[in-house]
Structure formats: C-alpha cells, structure tokens
Amino acid sequence: MRLPLIKHLVNFIEEHDEDFVMEAAETLEHLSEAPSIKDEELDVIGELISNLYGALEVQKEIRSGTPKKEALNSFMNRVMGSIDL
C-alpha cells in the first residue's frame, strides 16, 4: 500500500462517489480470477485492490468525523503495525 495513492483515491471519492471505487475493486477481483493471468499481473492487481480498499477504509473514518490527515496516518500506522518484519 502506498499512502500517496490512497490519498489520491480518497480525493477521488470526495469528488465523485465511493461506489466507483467499490466497483473498480470488484472488477479487479473478478479479473484476478482469470485462468490466464500471470503472477506478475496478479501482484499488480492485488496491490491496486489493496489501495482501493485502503481508501475506502480511510473514507469511512473521515465520514465518522476523523480529520483526513489523521485518518490517513492512523490507517497507515495500523497497516504497518500488522506487518511482521
């Protein structure tokens, strides 16, 4: 996940609607099930899906009253805290 991409997607959701992002994620999930998909392509699709769902999580926090910057930082801290190094 990349914070700049999630921030960009959150801006998109604010200008448009989160349904576009949800439908894009569902489309990419469907595409990832194609039998001819290569591992490298699957990695890229997986990263895109992660960023889309990350943006939806951040948007959910913003909608509940958390300032955008705090929501973004909180989300990335949760993600980084869940990764075992």
Side-chain angles (χ1 to χ4, degrees):
M1 288 190 190
R2 292 181 47 203
L3 187 59
L5 293 179
I6 292 172
K7 185 177 179 182
H8 191 69
L9 287 166
V10 167
N11 290 339
F12 177 86
I13 292 170
E14 289 173 348
E15 294 171 9
H16 299 86
D17 191 299
E18 69 182 39
D19 289 344
F20 289 107
V21 174
M22 291 174 68
E23 289 170 1
E26 290 170 4
T27 302
L28 288 171
E29 286 174 353
H30 182 73
L31 184 62
S32 71
E33 297 167 359
S36 61
I37 197 106
K38 296 177 184 171
D39 287 343
E40 307 85 46
E41 295 168 328
L42 197 55
D43 289 344
V44 171
I45 291 170
E47 185 67 19
L48 290 171
I49 291 171
S50 295
N51 287 312
L52 290 168
Y53 281 119
L56 290 169
E57 282 293 315
V58 170
Q59 183 61 31
K60 184 177 165 185
E61 289 294 318
I62 293 170
R63 225 178 321 143
S64 71
T66 305
K68 184 193 291 187
K69 185 176 181 178
E70 188 179 322
L72 285 163
N73 288 333
S74 173
F75 176 76
M76 288 310 291
N77 285 336
R78 284 196 317 264
V79 169
M80 297 305 287
S82 68
I83 298 172
D84 291 331
L85 299 176

